[in-house]
Amino acid sequence: MTTARQAGLIACHFCHTLSKLPEGMEAKTQHELTLGKAIMHCPCCQSSLHSRIPHSLSRTWALLLAALILYFPANALPIMTVIYWGEGQPDTILGGVVHLFAEGMWPLALLIFIASVFIPILKLIALFSLLISVHLKMQWRPKDRTVLYRITEFVGRWSMVDIFVIALLVALVQFGNTASVLPNLGALSFAAVVILTMLAAHSFDPRLIWDAIDDENSIRNDESL
Amino acid sequence: MNSNNLNHIASIPPISRLACPDCDLIQTIPPLADNEVAHCIRCGTTLFKQQKNSINRSLAFAITGLILFIISNLFPLLSLKAVGLTQESSLLSTAFALFDVNQLLLGIVILLTTFIFPATTLLGTIYILMQIKMNRINCYTAPLFRFLRSTDAWGMLEIFLLAILVAVVKLGDVADMIYGVSLYAFCLLILSLSLLSYSLNPQDVWNKLRDSNGCSG
Ligand SMILES: [Zn+2]
Ligand SMILES: [Zn+2]
């Protein structure tokens, strides 16, 4: 069981081509390569090579905290205003779900609840716990944490469904004072939350989860020698 | 930036040996039978899919997708009838409707995710697969494929289809909804896009790009 890092190799993030590190250079930490001035390029796809995504943790933290801050206006502010016979009624995300439920459209209410409330919260919690587990060099269930990361990365985009619904309603319901739909600031904040959490998930490097386990193992091997 | 560094890099040719993208473990992929999938022994990530004719099938789905994408944009997706007026909406007009109500940023997000990224994915995929088939890989093929892979998650047409369904149900009781020609094309587009992402095997494409050495100069 050797990792590319232990073997002195770097795998390209995109095309997975393995490259050998120059003599005397070691890919010990995620920063070492970028700090060591020489930027290497992948022989296959020309992308710059890093053993781990550079500054993965600080970037993920920054994006995640920005998403968390915007999460509050996204839920507190109305996402759209439905104008019906001249009277406007602003709706928040949760308000919209409650409305749908009250009108008996509960499958729809459930769908919007999962996409707009459940998934964003789940994503924020999952990414926060992944970050903390990497900081604490936790040994606990690395495989399950990798799966959690993959799920987080996969489902995040689907939260955009509410934004698309608002856009469609705005485009379709344009009958002046009789009936029209206007987007509000909450929609923009919510879109920002979805995009920021997607970027946060992209900048997190799941190999950091395994580095803690590999480091622990190599220390144990050194002691037993 | 030191391109001389390339000389120091001894790339390891047989791709059967690779590092897991999720846990960095180096492992050798055994020869696989058709439709067999190799998973990482440590974290379970899919490492390689063996598929016969993957390039040809992907090219067919991508071209079908491009035609359906053009049709989807030519005609309205949905129309709404109320108080004697008819309001039509298409892919592009949804984004432009947001520009009209001064939601510039939101409009840009919609434009990128429902038009620009899907269009570049389709055109770029066709271009790259054609180059591979005709053996005319050049310096820009691999960086272009890299760009397509990194923007893949931002094309959100399948999510837009779900949003159309939600909008139809929401407006169903209130007003008369007319389904446009494009809606059928759009549903088929989503189908061919999912078939494309199923049949396209990025590792296979990378192997071909690596072997061709189109950019040795
Ligand atoms: Zn590469
Ligand atoms: Zn793995």
Side-chain angles (χ1 to χ4, degrees):
Chain A
M1 300 274 273
T2 11
T3 63
R5 188 181 62 149
Q6 288 164 342
L9 300 168
I10 303 179
C12 176
H13 288 301
F14 296 96
C15 67
H16 305 177
T17 307
L18 286 169
S19 298
K20 226 184 186 75
L21 280 162
E23 283 295 317
M25 216 179 181
E26 262 182 280
K28 260 190 181 157
T29 67
Q30 50 162 342
H31 298 299
E32 208 135 308
L33 263 177
T34 36
L35 290 178
K37 290 285 185 285
I39 297 169
M40 299 203 308
H41 292 271
C42 173
C44 173
C45 71
Q46 319 298 326
S47 78
S48 53
L49 286 175
H50 312 278
S51 184
R52 300 290 178 266
I53 297 172
H55 312 290
S56 166
L57 292 180
S58 35
R59 257 163 68 183
T60 313
W61 272 116
L63 291 163
L64 203 58
L65 288 174
L68 183 69
I69 292 166
L70 282 167
Y71 186 76
F72 295 101
N75 280 282
L77 296 175
I79 48 168
M80 62 176 176
T81 306
V82 181
I83 298 162
Y84 202 60
W85 297 113
E87 271 177 66
Q89 195 205 350
D91 242 339
T92 58
I93 292 176
L94 265 178
V97 174
V98 171
H99 262 260
L100 284 174
F101 207 85
E103 285 167 34
M105 297 191 207
W106 62 267
L108 210 56
L110 194 66
L111 178 80
I112 299 292
F113 179 79
I114 291 173
S116 305
V117 184
F118 187 69
I119 290 179
I121 291 180
L122 192 81
K123 252 189 111 166
L124 288 171
I125 293 174
L127 283 171
F128 269 119
S129 28
L130 283 171
L131 279 172
I132 290 166
S133 82
V134 168
H135 275 291
L136 296 177
K137 297 192 191 313
M138 271 171 65
Q139 308 285 309
W140 182 78
R141 296 192 176 198
K143 194 174 173 176
D144 291 344
R145 280 187 282 149
T146 312
V147 171
L148 177 68
Y149 169 71
R150 250 179 268 138
I151 294 172
T152 313
E153 205 191 17
F154 179 75
V155 297
R157 329 161 49 236
W158 288 89
S159 296
M160 281 298 278
V161 71
D162 220 9
I163 299 296
F164 290 153
V165 172
I166 294 168
L168 274 167
L169 292 182
V170 171
L172 276 172
V173 190
Q174 285 184 4
F175 302 100
N177 264 336
T178 319
S180 53
V181 175
L182 284 172
N184 292 120
L185 208 54
L188 187 62
S189 319
F190 185 71
V193 170
V194 179
I195 290 168
L196 285 168
T197 47
M198 275 179 76
L199 290 171
H202 284 315
S203 56
F204 181 81
D205 195 331
R207 287 171 294 192
L208 297 174
I209 296 171
W210 295 90
D211 281 349
I213 283 103
D214 294 331
D215 289 345
E216 182 76 18
N217 285 346
S218 65
I219 291 168
R220 229 175 265 157
N221 287 348
D222 287 349
E223 279 166 356
S224 64
L225 279 174
Chain B
M1 297 284 258
N2 191 347
S3 56
N4 288 337
N5 268 327
L6 281 180
N7 300 334
H8 304 295
I9 303 169
S11 52
I12 292 115
I15 188 53
S16 53
R17 186 164 169 253
L18 54 79
C20 171
D22 279 4
C23 76
D24 212 27
L25 188 74
I26 293 180
Q27 45 210 298
T28 309
I29 297 175
L32 298 173
D34 201 24
N35 284 326
E36 245 186 324
V37 181
H39 293 279
C40 172
I41 48 165
R42 185 158 81 159
C43 73
T45 301
T46 305
L47 293 177
F48 197 81
K49 281 190 289 184
Q50 182 72 43
Q51 281 171 315
K52 249 187 204 161
N53 258 332
S54 148
I55 304 270
N56 282 334
R57 263 187 302 153
S58 307
L59 187 58
F61 290 134
I63 292 172
T64 317
L66 184 66
I67 294 166
L68 290 167
F69 184 72
I70 293 168
I71 298 172
S72 307
N73 275 289
L74 286 179
F75 309 101
L77 287 169
L78 290 172
S79 312
L80 198 64
K81 239 188 191 165
V83 290
L85 290 166
T86 307
Q87 191 68 43
E88 288 175 343
S89 107
S90 69
L91 270 180
L92 276 173
S93 74
T94 309
F96 291 134
L98 289 168
F99 292 144
D100 290 342
V101 292
N102 289 321
Q103 285 279 350
L104 187 68
L105 286 172
L106 216 48
I108 291 172
V109 171
I110 308 285
L111 191 65
L112 284 172
T113 52
T114 63
F115 190 83
I116 293 176
F117 283 134
T120 42
T121 302
L122 283 169
L123 288 171
T125 309
I126 292 172
Y127 180 64
I128 287 171
L129 294 178
M130 291 279 248
Q131 277 184 322
I132 291 175
K133 267 187 77 72
M134 292 159 77
N135 235 330
R136 290 174 69 171
I137 295 162
N138 59 34
C139 278
Y140 305 105
T141 315
L144 177 64
F145 191 56
R146 196 180 80 209
F147 171 77
L148 293 182
R149 294 309 301 162
S150 55
T151 56
D152 197 42
W154 299 94
M156 300 186 177
L157 285 181
E158 72 277 27
I159 302 170
F160 194 74
L161 180 64
L162 183 64
I164 291 176
L165 293 176
V166 172
V168 166
V169 176
K170 261 190 166 178
L171 294 172
D173 331 332
V174 193
D176 281 335
M177 188 76 87
I178 302 154
Y179 307 110
V181 187
S182 281
L183 192 61
Y184 301 101
F186 190 71
C187 291
L188 290 173
L189 168 64
I190 303 305
L191 183 68
S192 53
L193 280 178
S194 15
L195 287 170
L196 171 62
S197 76
Y198 177 76
S199 67
L200 186 71
N201 185 350
Q203 270 314 308
D204 194 33
V205 174
W206 283 124
N207 289 351
K208 292 208 161 65
L209 293 180
R210 200 179 294 117
D211 293 343
S212 79
N213 221 349
C215 199
S216 46

